[in-house]
Amino acid sequence: MALLGFLIVFPLVVAIALMMLREDRVRDPLVIGSAVITGIASVACAVTYMGNPTVFAMTPEASLLGNYAAVAVDLFLCGLVFVFAIFYRNTIMFIISLVQLLVSIWCGSFALHPEDASATPMYIDNLSVVMVLIVGLVGSAICIYALGYMKDFQHHENEAAARKGVPAQDRRHQFIALMFLFLSAMFIIVTSDNMDWLVAGWEITTVCSFLMIGFTRTPEAKKSAILQINLNMVGGLAFHVALVVMHITGVPLSINALVDVAASSDAGMLIIPLMLLSVAGLTKAAQMPFHKWLLGAMVAPTPTSALLHSSTMVKAGVFLLVKMAPLYLEYPVASAMVVGIGGITFVLCSFLAISQSNAKRVLAYSTIANLGLISACAGVGTSEAVWAAIFLIIFHTVSKSVLFLCVGTVEHRIGSRNIEDMDGLFSRLPHLTRFMMLGIMGMFVAPFGMLISKWATLVSFAE
């Protein structure tokens, strides 16, 4: 329990410290040291709990205190988005945020009852361990990469400000703090069995993504950030409504307990929450018709794209779908919805990916397509399909994080994202190109895992 608490609290403390430390000579060692510590703690967690699913019990008082904190965070974030909607004068954002705020208040009123305090609010299984490793190792590595990238970014910002004759703002401390807050929220999501706690982490990732996508404050960045928050609030609203329905019908707010409810005589009451939670997962995973927010995320600095596309935001969506995979065997309607949306997204976005000349758009469409395949595997629900989904998550994370970071570096070096302009990279940037080729081979060349995973996916579909 102490190890999981450390993984959640430590990145949060680092994020707070980074907001107050603005000098490179202090920030750089803090970020590097914190990323290494987070990675080591993630490996320690994997060694401790891999193959050893564990439920963490708490006293009713401690569990209820966690509910109070989760509700407070949820209401604060919903209120913050509502304020942003007024500031940006966006009607759609205003309406959705207002509705979500009201539903969150309703949902929170249930969670504050003593009888709602879960005896075992945290749980870790093999899937959680895989996600902890992904967040702790890949996410931390992206934070270290962001140090060098953001120095170049700030250099360009300073030059642009000098040409305009205005002072340049250095907000790098805010950007990297958001990245560590992201990691903390993801650790909450992947280790929480109490869905009141999970939804708090869910909303943190949504709001952090909004702030990071709009970081440059250009008109295009603001437009993309508003699109992201609007589409993800649809999923967040679905999540909150699902919790309200579960509260009213007496369904336990535990992901693991849902399987037991599905096997009981009262299984019929679970279909509406399951459909709503599936919508929340599909939205976060950028599945059609909600995929446009992930394409818009490319206007943000490259570490944002790498973090959203590989180890955090979108993986939260497929994580929830894979956790609910056993339920889809019991509810064919929900299974058909998830498999259908995931399959259609995979096919269409694969075709869209090969039609692009912008390297980041190729990677973005490829990411959405692979997330569609993972979602479809979760919707099938069999053990073979879940195995394939988990392996797709692992190897997609590694390959795409490497490719996004490489493309971002190439863009800085040659001043273009166009694939045609990347001709002759082996002679111009040999070391970087080797890393890029490793990421590319990881997607389709044997014996790398994506090929094996996709073959297992086809077998599970056929069976």
Side-chain angles (χ1 to χ4, degrees), residues 28-42:
D28 290 2
L30 174 62
V31 170
I32 295 172
S34 300
V36 171
I37 292 172
T38 302
I40 293 173
S42 302

Side-chain angles (χ1 to χ4, degrees), residues 36-58:
V36 171
I37 292 172
T38 302
I40 293 173
S42 302
V43 173
C45 181
V47 172
T48 304
Y49 297 110
M50 179 63 77
N52 181 31
T54 304
V55 176
F56 298 94
M58 284 189 179

Side-chain angles (χ1 to χ4, degrees), residues 14-309:
V14 174
I16 296 172
L18 286 170
M19 290 297 293
M20 297 181 287
L21 302 173
R22 303 193 177 194
E23 296 183 5
D24 289 346
R25 61 184 180 85
V26 179
R27 180 170 55 231
D28 290 2
L30 174 62
V31 170
I32 295 172
S34 300
V36 171
I37 292 172
T38 302
I40 293 173
S42 302
V43 173
C45 181
V47 172
T48 304
Y49 297 110
M50 179 63 77
N52 181 31
T54 304
V55 176
F56 298 94
M58 284 189 179
T59 63
E61 294 78 13
S63 182
L64 185 61
L65 184 62
N67 282 13
Y68 275 100
V71 170
V73 170
D74 188 26
L75 292 178
F76 171 77
L77 294 175
C78 290
L80 181 63
V81 175
F82 182 69
V83 171
F84 276 122
I86 297 174
F87 177 77
Y88 287 116
R89 299 179 181 178
N90 186 279
T91 304
I92 297 176
M93 186 177 177
F94 177 84
I95 294 172
I96 300 177
S97 61
L98 177 60
V99 173
Q100 183 170 344
L101 178 60
L102 295 175
V103 175
S104 298
I105 294 172
W106 187 16
C107 182
S109 66
F110 290 108
L112 300 181
H113 295 164
E115 61 271 16
D116 191 61
S118 173
T120 55
M122 302 189 75
Y123 174 84
I124 190 165
D125 56 10
N126 289 342
L127 176 59
S128 300
V129 168
V130 169
M131 293 300 297
V132 165
L133 284 173
I134 288 173
V135 176
L137 296 179
V138 179
S140 297
I142 294 172
C143 290
I144 294 175
Y145 170 89
L147 287 175
Y149 182 94
M150 293 307 290
K151 286 178 182 177
D152 288 342
F153 177 87
Q154 188 61 39
H155 177 70
H156 294 309
E157 289 289 299
N158 292 341
E159 290 181 343
R163 287 194 296 268
K164 296 178 182 178
V166 296
Q169 286 186 317
D170 187 354
R171 296 182 292 116
R172 287 177 293 163
H173 63 291
Q174 298 175 4
F175 183 84
I176 301 178
L178 285 172
M179 296 183 74
F180 274 93
L181 180 58
F182 236 117
L183 300 187
S184 177
M186 280 300 298
F187 285 130
I188 293 173
I189 291 172
V190 302
T191 59
S192 294
D193 188 46
N194 185 338
M195 298 184 75
D196 284 323
W197 296 20
L198 193 154
V199 77
W202 194 270
E203 292 303 312
I204 291 173
T205 61
T206 298
V207 174
C208 285
S209 298
F210 168 75
L211 296 174
M212 293 173 74
I213 293 172
F215 179 76
T216 59
R217 297 179 179 174
T218 63
E220 185 181 9
K222 291 179 182 178
K223 181 180 178 181
S224 297
I226 291 173
L227 176 64
Q228 180 273 334
I229 199 74
N230 285 344
L231 291 178
N232 275 280
M233 276 195 297
V234 173
L237 182 59
F239 205 134
H240 283 89
V241 173
L243 296 188
V244 170
V245 173
M246 292 167 71
H247 276 294
I248 293 174
T249 56
V251 175
L253 296 183
S254 163
I255 297 179
N256 294 300
L258 295 181
V259 179
D260 297 329
V261 174
S264 69
S265 58
D266 298 327
M269 68 176 64
L270 198 58
I271 182 62
I272 293 178
L274 178 60
M275 296 289 281
L276 290 169
L277 290 172
S278 298
V279 170
L282 291 168
T283 304
K284 187 76 82 172
Q287 298 299 282
M288 288 183 169
F290 307 106
H291 66 291
K292 291 185 178 180
W293 75 261
L294 197 58
L295 298 173
M298 293 184 301
V299 303
T302 293
T304 301
S305 301
L307 206 60
L308 298 188
H309 288 243

